[in-house]
Amino acid sequence: METIQLETDIAILGGGAAGCYAAMTVQDRAPDAKVLILEKANIKRSGCLAAGVNALNAYIVPGKTPEFYVEYAKKDAHGIVREDLLLSMSQRLNQVTHHLEQLGLVILKDENGNYVTRGNRNIKINGENIKPILAQAVENCPNVTVMNHVNAVDYIVKDHKLIGVFANSVLEEKLYVIRCKACICATGGAAGLYRPNNPGFSRHKMWYPPFNTGAGYAMGIRAGAEMTTFEMRFIALRCKDTIAPTGTLAQGVGAKQVNAKGEVYEQKYGLTTSQRVYGTVMENKEGRGPCYLRTKGITAEQADSLKRAYLNMAPSQTLKWLENGSSPDEENVEIEGTEPYIIGGHTASGYWVDANRMSTIDGLFAAGDVAGGSPQKYVTGALAEGEIAGEAAVKYVNNRLEDIPVDYAKQQAQAIENYFTNTSLFTTEQLEEAMQGVMDRYAGGISTDYGFTESGLKLADQKIQRLIHLSDDIHVSDMQELTRLLELKERLLVCRVVIAHLADRKETRWHCFAENLDYPQTDDAWLQYVNSRYENGEIHMLHRKLTERYETYEHTH
């Protein structure tokens, strides 16, 4: 297998929203700096925006302030947020939105030329092509190089300082050892840890991209970076079967959550994101399901608008209406919760970072879904964090590249090549399904209505460790199979950290997101961050005090 050595000033892992904007920021602030983006797929249609989006869900509308957005996110997360990170993100939301419009994004406007708002924080867009717009902007940066179909595998760390990145080609028998002065991780969150709504052939028909495997999390965990709030899982409330977003219905036409009797139940349980899921679970458990978003009776014009909106991000929902010969104004839309995800763009899971989005590993920055502490980012929040991380990386970079140990490339190549000569009774797919079954049954998946117990979590960790051991012997025959195996190993490690975090927080602060059946009540003694650090195969739990929005938190490296 060919090993290729490269060097760059700043390496960016992931060409999604945050990664693209970080690259554009570096190019703008330091035009001579060399930037290398590693993208597992193709940057034109990769990440969470691959299929498009019909609204920007984080925008400071007229009459509101960044502080208002901080309060909204804090309330939705029941207090467990980094207010300092939320505020610095919120202060940039409108700025990056206007830049997107300049790049070519179509933002809907009223007769007076003002953005068409959707609720207190959102504006409507025609966003089917939002990702190609960002990709084109990156291509126009002369000192930014994009390597498509290259999968980042591990950080190269010396004395707790990042000095490089190790990666493999997805299509060719090539390994890359990349020296860099700084690295920005923007690989997204983790899907596929739990058994999904649609198993078997349709298991990748899920809300979050199935190819976001928690790679950046796993790389940071292995390198000893401090992680935060993995117990605040995210469970999306979605349209049944299509797993299309429900916010378009709830905010776009004011659709209420109703049970099979037509009773509005959302106020009964609360209106935070986790409470909306919890209410639906409880109504079904108590025999008043199925549950719906009440769209029957909306105008034909509203129904047509919904069909067009879903074509911008979830065409399957529009196709379902067409195939069934129905329309949202004629029948309500059935809803259900998804399997849990770990995603720092909606909840607070991810790297523990300082104000500049640097992790506890010197020289390693995080932005977007992979960065912890700042939930409710959505698209514009990811762009804002990409900008913050890009600016900080430019200031951090010095003139010296650290040497990578001479024997590093040889050792890594040998470890990779061993997978091609292994013999195993199991396949990657079989172990992945086993992992999802373990997490579903013992760590709070769909089959247990998201609830878990300490004894179940202990058993889950034992079983996941067994699967990690079995994965070491898997045989692969080409580079795509190798990538799938490495993704499985990433997910398994993230599973262990999720289990440890769920077990550590002895309360139920977020119904469904972390439904601890041994501790069903909220306990304000747990108004603190639950963090962790992985060392020598063991997960060490840490607790940190809450920070307020005007505090500036900095690491001591």
Side-chain angles (χ1 to χ4, degrees):
M1 191 170 296
E2 184 181 5
T3 300
I4 301 169
Q5 302 208 20
L6 303 172
E7 64 180 49
T8 187
D9 291 319
I10 299 174
I12 298 177
L13 311 186
C20 283
Y21 215 81
M24 293 157 58
T25 300
V26 173
Q27 177 72 75
D28 180 66
R29 308 301 194 274
D32 295 331
K34 294 180 181 179
V35 178
L36 180 62
I37 298 178
L38 304 185
E39 169 54 57
K40 183 167 63 174
N42 186 293
I43 194 171
K44 186 174 181 179
R45 287 286 185 184
S46 63
C48 298
L49 300 183
V53 65
N54 72 352
L56 297 179
N57 291 331
Y59 183 81
I60 310 301
V61 302
K64 302 300 181 183
T65 64
E67 288 78 9
F68 168 81
Y69 198 87
V70 173
E71 285 302 319
Y72 149 67
K74 181 179 178 181
K75 180 180 178 182
D76 200 76
H78 298 271
I80 309 297
V81 296
R82 284 277 299 279
E83 292 187 48
D84 58 328
L85 302 182
L86 276 171
L87 183 62
S88 63
M89 176 200 81
S90 301
Q91 290 169 335
R92 297 175 183 242
L93 293 176
N94 291 18
Q95 170 187 318
V96 298
T97 299
H98 300 155
H99 188 202
L100 272 180
E101 186 176 28
Q102 292 171 3
L103 292 174
L105 180 68
V106 176
I107 302 179
L108 276 61
K109 297 180 179 178
D110 61 21
E111 61 276 8
N112 298 317
N114 298 316
Y115 291 159
V116 177
T117 60
R118 194 184 77 171
N120 291 325
R121 305 172 299 275
N122 310 17
I123 57 175
K124 295 183 178 181
I125 66 172
N126 287 339
E128 184 279 332
N129 65 340
I130 187 172
K131 190 60 205 301
I133 287 173
L134 284 168
Q136 184 60 54
V138 169
E139 288 180 18
N140 292 338
C141 297
N143 271 338
V144 176
T145 301
V146 178
M147 295 181 65
N148 289 313
H149 305 298
V150 174
N151 176 49
V153 176
D154 256 325
Y155 299 126
I156 307 172
V157 177
K158 179 181 178 182
D159 298 327
H160 217 63
K161 179 180 179 181
L162 185 128
I163 60 173
V165 178
F166 179 67
N168 71 277
S169 168
V170 175
L171 304 178
E172 304 175 286
E173 292 186 356
K174 294 180 180 179
L175 303 176
Y176 297 93
V177 179
I178 303 163
R179 288 201 304 165
C180 58
K181 300 174 183 176
C183 176
I184 300 173
C185 181
T187 54
L193 308 182
Y194 286 79
R195 182 178 289 157
N197 295 91
N198 303 296
F201 178 78
S202 298
R203 70 186 182 280
H204 288 150
K205 190 176 186 179
M206 57 176 61
W207 166 73
Y208 196 62
F211 308 108
N212 282 14
T213 62
Y217 293 149
M219 291 167 63
I221 292 165
R222 282 194 294 265
E226 188 171 333
M227 314 303 283
T228 188
T229 324
F230 273 49
E231 75 278 12
M232 192 194 294
R233 308 174 302 172
F234 182 71
I235 298 161
L237 187 65
R238 289 297 177 258
C239 302
K240 190 176 185 301
D241 299 326
T242 63
I243 316 298
T246 54
T248 301
L249 302 171
Q251 297 184 41
V253 298
K256 300 293 186 182
Q257 291 176 231
V258 298
N259 58 28
K261 298 179 180 181
E263 301 166 336
V264 176
Y265 64 84
E266 57 186 37
Q267 294 287 351
K268 178 180 175 182
Y269 299 94
L271 297 177
T272 67
T273 308
S274 60
Q275 289 167 342
R276 287 183 177 276
V277 178
Y278 178 64
T280 304
V281 168
M282 294 304 295
E283 290 295 300
N284 281 315
K285 285 180 68 173
E286 294 175 8
R288 292 184 292 274
C291 295
Y292 304 88
L293 278 171
R294 187 171 61 195
T295 57
K296 188 175 182 180
I298 63 175
T299 67
E301 183 181 7
Q302 286 177 311
D304 184 61
S305 176
L306 287 175
K307 293 174 186 176
R308 286 186 282 110
Y310 277 110
L311 285 176
N312 272 319
M313 59 171 179
S316 56
Q317 184 60 38
T318 300
L319 292 174
K320 182 179 180 180
W321 282 320
L322 294 174
E323 289 169 356
N324 293 342
S326 63
S327 182
D329 57 327
E330 298 171 353
E331 63 179 14
N332 295 329
V333 177
E334 188 176 351
I335 55 177
E336 64 182 350
T338 64
E339 75 276 20
Y341 305 97
I342 307 302
I343 165 176
H346 283 66
T347 57
S349 312
Y351 282 87
W352 182 251
V353 295
D354 65 13
N356 293 319
R357 272 54 175 189
M358 187 190 285
S359 74
T360 55
I361 294 177
D362 200 12
L364 173 61
F365 299 82
D369 285 348
V370 79
S374 178
Q376 312 301 345
K377 293 186 184 82
Y378 304 111
V379 176
T380 45
L383 300 180
E385 285 204 328
E387 184 176 59
I388 294 169
E391 290 175 350
V394 166
K395 293 178 181 177
Y396 173 87
V397 166
N398 52 42
N399 294 320
R400 184 169 57 88
L401 283 170
E402 291 275 354
D403 288 331
I404 293 172
V406 176
D407 59 347
Y408 177 86
K410 183 177 181 181
Q411 291 176 353
Q412 296 302 311
Q414 186 59 57
I416 290 294
E417 289 174 356
N418 287 343
Y419 292 121
F420 289 85
T421 58
N422 277 345
T423 56
S424 174
L425 296 174
F426 303 101
T427 64
T428 298
E429 184 172 335
Q430 288 170 333
L431 293 191
E432 180 182 288
E433 289 186 4
M435 172 195 68
Q436 291 177 346
V438 169
M439 296 299 287
D440 179 71
R441 178 65 184 85
Y442 300 106
I446 294 172
S447 68
T448 62
D449 292 323
Y450 309 113
F452 56 85
T453 63
E454 286 186 347
S455 58
L457 292 175
K458 183 177 180 180
L459 192 56
D461 189 55
Q462 293 172 358
K463 291 177 178 292
I464 292 298
Q465 289 193 64
R466 174 62 176 160
L467 292 174
I468 290 174
H469 177 71
L470 291 174
S471 71
D472 292 337
D473 296 326
I474 291 291
H475 170 78
V476 301
S477 58
D478 59 34
M479 295 303 285
Q480 289 196 15
E481 285 190 10
L482 171 67
T483 302
R484 298 291 88 79
L485 171 59
L486 295 177
E487 289 176 336
L488 168 67
K489 296 177 80 66
E490 291 158 2
R491 285 181 165 123
L492 286 166
L493 181 56
V494 173
C495 282
R496 284 206 66 202
V497 176
V498 171
I499 290 166
H501 276 250
L502 290 173
D504 193 70
R505 183 175 284 276
K506 305 284 192 289
E507 65 161 352
T508 294
R509 179 159 296 271
W510 314 280
H511 281 302
C512 292
F513 285 16
E515 192 76 44
N516 192 327
L517 300 179
D518 293 324
Y519 300 91
Q521 304 301 319
T522 299
D523 183 353
D524 282 348
W526 285 92
L527 272 171
Q528 55 184 306
Y529 306 114
V530 172
N531 291 6
S532 63
R533 189 176 64 249
Y534 184 78
E535 186 176 9
N536 297 324
E538 297 295 328
I539 301 169
H540 303 279
M541 305 308 300
L542 309 166
H543 297 159
R544 293 191 180 272
K545 296 180 180 179
L546 295 183
T547 56
E548 297 183 7
R549 72 188 64 166
Y550 300 113
E551 291 184 56
T552 300
Y553 172 83
E554 301 293 347
H555 300 310
T556 302
H557 287 292

